[in-house]
């Protein structure tokens, strides 16, 4: 919007894309940004489980109980009814036993 207003004030009928006009209107950000910390620990330290290559079914179940929120219904009522999905392929999801589910949220 800023570029369009400045271009119109100069009497141009259409938005100019010439680099000299764009560069003349550019205002560099002079904000002094603080560097980001290497690790953000404002919410606590990461769980040691996150560095493991493979998780057991019990670890995944515990993490789901602690961190998963179902947005399409009451969380506590659905937690035990939802299968633990291991992988996805296209519009299909697979649980630990290899049972195939169609992912209706994938817009298939």
């Amino acid at each position: 919007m800023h570029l369009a207003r400045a271009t119109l004030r100069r009497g141009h009928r259409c938005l100019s894309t010439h680099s000299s006009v764009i560069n003349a209107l550019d205002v560099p950000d002079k904000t002094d940004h603080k560097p980001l910390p290497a690790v953000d620990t404002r919410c606590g330290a990461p769980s040691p489980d996150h560095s493991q290559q493979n998780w057991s079914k019990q670890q995944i179940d515990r993490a789901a109980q602690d961190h998963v929120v179902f947005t399409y219904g009451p969380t506590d009522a659905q937690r035990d009814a939802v299968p633990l999905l291991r992988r996805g392929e296209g519009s299909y999801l697979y649980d630990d036993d290899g049972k195939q589910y169609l992912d209706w949220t994938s817009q298939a």
Side-chain angles (χ1 to χ4, degrees), residues 26-73:
D26 180 41
V27 179
D29 181 12
K30 296 181 181 179
T31 309
D32 185 26
H33 297 284
K34 295 179 181 176
L36 295 174
V39 177
D40 184 0
T41 58
R42 290 177 291 180
C43 295
S47 166
D49 291 342
H50 287 285
S51 61
Q52 291 181 357
Q53 191 72 350
N54 295 309
W55 285 24
S56 68
K57 185 173 181 347
Q58 291 77 21
Q59 287 174 302
I60 295 172
D61 285 338
R62 185 173 16 100
Q65 290 288 329
D66 292 343
H67 303 289
V68 173
V69 176
F70 294 95
T71 58
Y72 47 86

